[in-house]
Amino acid sequence: MSAAEVASAPSRVRPVAAWARLLASELRLIFGRRRNQVGLATLFGLVVLVGIALKVSSLRHPGSTGGDLMSAVAGNGLFLGFAGLSIEMALFLPLAVSVLAGDAIAGEANQGTLRYLLLAPVSRVRLLVMKATSLAIGALTGAFVVAAGGLLTGIVLFGARPLTTLSGTSIGIADGLWRLALAVLYLAAGLTALAMIGLFISTLTEQPIAATVATAMVGTLLWILDAVPQLDWLHPWLLVDRWPAFIDLLRDPVFTDRLVAGLWVDAAYAAAFFALAWLRFRRADITS
Amino acid sequence: MTLAAEAVADAAADRDGAAITSSGLTKRFGKQLVVDDLALEVPSGAVYGFIGPNGSGKTTTIRMLLGLVRPDAGTCALLGGTMPAAGGEVLPKVGALVEGPAFHPYLSGRANLLRLDAADRRSDPATASARVAAAIDRVGLSAAARKRYRAYSLGMRQRLGIAAALLQPRELLVLDEPTNGLDPQGTREVRHLIGDLAADGTTIFVSSHLLAEVEQLCTHLGVMRTGRLVAQGPMRELRALTAIRFQVRTPDAELALATVAALGVTDAARVPAGVAGSLGEVAPERIVAALVNAGVAVAEFAQVTPTLEDLFVQLTGEGFDVSG
């Protein structure tokens, strides 16, 4: 039986189905990879560890409650979902996103699979959009796993009850979960913007590790710059400056100013670096 | 064939009946001129051998033909579509193996082919599984289809690369060193496979530095040397360029030399077994008759067809070494 005998006549292109098939193939590749599974497990495990540490400390010093998020966890496990995001937002989540982004183009180039994808053929714009989409899904998955890990650990160790917002009012558990979901989406947007920086760097090299390290360094540099008071004029323009603003979702009513501004900054970074990646990739000589 | 890209197609693409054409194709990497003013013409249905030493620009040419690398000057067209603009239209009809196979190490051979199939927006997902199985079967890899690629031997990897090129019915196959890493059995299988595909009407463009391989396979030939195409044409025409030689095994070398010289052979000379020279216009049977009439003891008369390497040396005036 030859390939020609079983092949049907060239079928009509169904763009949505074809797009979904390509993206599904990419996601299988990302989530089927042992390294990425271990990475997600690590993100999850870190929040569990923090939960256990908080539990131990609440047993040693019962009744000592401060006003911050960490102290609130002892009174209500739901808060550990938010606390988990807060803990992993600066280093672990950006690192995870950097690993995926570094792989996106440089990983394929390094293995030589990039040339065969392009010959399949996948147009370059389609390939880049597909990679960007899979990175966004990866970023969302990372944030979701952290929040879910915190939520589960918190409920098991501290129980769930209606939340007291930062404004002092009380909201129901369902409302609290809804706000946690929004916080996940909000941080995922910021991480996706970082992933677009990584995607651009990934088009510059054939070494995925180099792209990953460079992206992680950019992320870290942004946090450092954001912490230098003398640079306060620069802070509003830094990608990470408003990431902690997800905490505004715990106010009643939700304080949206910083969140909206943060989303605009995310969108601007994502668009700019996706455009740079496209400018670089569309005419690049594929010699790998 | 109506292609959107034909609007921008240049003269190179208009030449009818050619599977691959290029004109003035030039590429530099930094200061080095890798491909210099190349004018390829691969007729439809040909098995075109693209030969040249390592480093002579074969792979860069192939990358330009397939749209992976942009030429600095000149144009090229595949199946009538100017590359790289017409890639989306043309590449589904082209199977390619470029500079060795490359796959995801942690996926099985089968999963790797399914991924490539998923990448082609025109391929039918309903037949994907059957097509992948057929392609793997065709290269004799069925037993290892579900093994991880990283566990494959070099020859198995090469076979999987060829299978990827056969995922769809193709009009053109571009095979860069297809028998690299294969054992003699595998080499023979690939040769048969190429023969079968060519018999079905597929145009085959095969690059190689193994002249013996090309000699057995190809109907047409293009010879590269340091980025330039030094000869191109049907194998028969190119072979006619090299002088056919004869060799006589005889103890009477002196007499034989005199006899063939009288027939008009100008370059006859002694060799250990007897006498050898170029046939030129002289018919071999006349030489044998003249030798026998002259009383030369002819133990053996052989007509020596020059090898492709002889042709190559004649065309380039140099040995078949790595180009600088």
Side-chain angles (χ1 to χ4, degrees), chain A residues 128-205:
Chain A
L128 210 57
V129 170
M130 181 270 278
K131 290 288 183 184
T133 309
S134 70
L135 287 177
I137 293 172
L140 180 62
T141 307
F144 174 80
V145 162
V146 169
L151 193 63
L152 292 175
T153 311
I155 290 173
V156 168
L157 294 179
F158 303 101
R161 49 191 68 85
L163 293 95
T164 307
T165 64
L166 298 180
S167 318
T169 62
S170 185
I171 57 172
I173 290 177
D175 196 4
L177 291 179
W178 169 240
R179 292 185 188 208
L180 181 59
L182 289 178
V184 165
L185 286 173
Y186 175 76
L187 266 187
L191 290 167
T192 299
L194 180 65
M196 294 305 110
I197 298 178
L199 182 66
F200 167 58
I201 295 172
S202 193
T203 62
L204 300 176
T205 170

Side-chain angles (χ1 to χ4, degrees), chain B residues 25 41 213 284:
Chain B
L25 203 60
E41 173 113 36
E213 177 178 302

Side-chain angles (χ1 to χ4, degrees), chain B residues 7-321:
Chain B
V8 292
D10 69 331
D14 291 339
R15 270 178 260 157
D16 221 27
I20 301 176
T21 57
S22 78
S23 64
L25 203 60
T26 301
K27 182 69 187 179
R28 289 169 197 283
F29 286 124
K31 280 186 178 171
Q32 176 147 14
L33 190 59
V34 182
V35 174
D36 183 9
D37 194 22
L38 215 61
L40 285 174
E41 173 113 36
V42 178
S44 288
V47 181
Y48 186 102
F50 193 46
I51 66 172
N54 295 323
S56 56
K58 300 192 298 294
T59 297
T60 302
T61 304
I62 287 174
R63 285 179 182 271
M64 282 193 282
L65 294 177
L66 294 172
L68 293 173
V69 165
R70 272 177 190 274
D72 291 324
T75 55
C76 53
L78 283 191
L79 303 172
T82 303
M83 293 298 289
E89 299 289 328
V90 166
L91 286 177
K93 293 180 276 186
V94 179
L97 180 69
V98 186
E99 219 170 333
F103 294 96
H104 291 282
Y106 298 103
L107 296 184
S108 68
R110 183 174 175 276
N112 266 300
L113 294 196
L114 283 171
R115 172 165 170 81
L116 287 177
D117 194 69
D120 177 3
R121 60 202 287 269
R122 297 184 176 196
S123 82
D124 182 1
T127 62
S129 189
R131 277 182 293 109
V132 165
I136 286 178
D137 184 51
R138 191 147 191 194
V139 297
L141 209 54
S142 295
R146 285 170 193 275
K147 273 194 195 162
R148 283 180 167 199
Y149 177 73
R150 65 176 308 192
Y152 281 18
S153 69
L154 185 57
M156 290 161 81
R157 293 176 177 199
Q158 190 75 10
R159 286 167 192 252
L160 189 64
I162 295 172
L166 300 177
L167 269 178
Q168 300 272 3
R170 311 289 194 186
E171 290 178 26
L172 170 66
L173 283 176
V174 177
L175 303 173
D176 190 8
E177 309 279 2
T179 59
N180 198 19
L182 291 178
D183 52 23
Q185 169 70 17
T187 306
R188 201 157 45 239
E189 284 173 25
V190 166
R191 221 162 35 225
H192 284 308
L193 184 60
I194 291 177
D196 289 350
L197 292 162
D200 292 345
T202 310
T203 307
I204 297 174
F205 182 89
V206 53
S207 99
S208 184
H209 65 275
L210 300 175
L211 296 174
E213 177 178 302
V214 168
E215 197 155 21
Q216 296 180 53
L217 276 174
C218 298
T219 60
H220 289 68
L221 201 61
V223 183
M224 287 285 283
R225 169 112 205 140
T226 54
R228 297 191 69 95
L229 193 64
V230 293
Q232 173 175 249
M235 185 78 102
R236 225 174 321 108
E237 286 177 21
L238 288 177
R239 301 213 71 143
L241 295 175
T242 45
I244 295 176
R245 297 176 64 78
F246 68 89
Q247 192 168 335
V248 185
R249 191 151 67 84
T250 174
D252 313 323
E254 289 303 327
L255 185 55
L257 271 179
T259 312
V260 296
L263 282 172
V265 177
T266 52
D267 65 343
R270 287 188 86 131
V271 292
V275 169
S278 303
L279 272 181
E281 299 295 307
V282 188
E285 55 271 24
R286 277 187 60 207
I287 297 181
V288 178
L291 287 171
V292 172
N293 285 338
V296 175
V298 179
E300 182 184 345
F301 178 89
Q303 188 173 319
V304 186
T305 310
T307 64
L308 209 47
E309 185 159 354
D310 296 330
L311 171 64
F312 183 84
V313 170
Q314 180 174 329
L315 287 171
T316 64
E318 290 175 66
F320 198 78
D321 298 322

Side-chain angles (χ1 to χ4, degrees), chain A residues 2-3 7-8 11 21-22 25-26 29 108 111-113 115-116 119-122 124 126 283-288, chain B residues 27 63 67-70 96-100 102-105 107 115 117-123 128 138 166 169:
Chain A
S2 77
S8 55
S11 53
R21 191 173 168 222
L22 177 59
S25 155
E26 178 73 10
L29 197 67
E108 300 268 13
Q111 281 180 141
T113 42
R115 62 176 183 268
Y116 286 112
L119 293 177
V122 187
R124 294 191 184 198
R126 195 166 130 85
R283 298 178 69 91
D285 283 343
I286 309 300
T287 54
S288 60
Chain B
K27 182 69 187 179
R63 285 179 182 271
L68 293 173
V69 165
R70 272 177 190 274
L97 180 69
V98 186
E99 219 170 333
F103 294 96
H104 291 282
L107 296 184
R115 172 165 170 81
D117 194 69
D120 177 3
R121 60 202 287 269
R122 297 184 176 196
S123 82
R138 191 147 191 194
L166 300 177

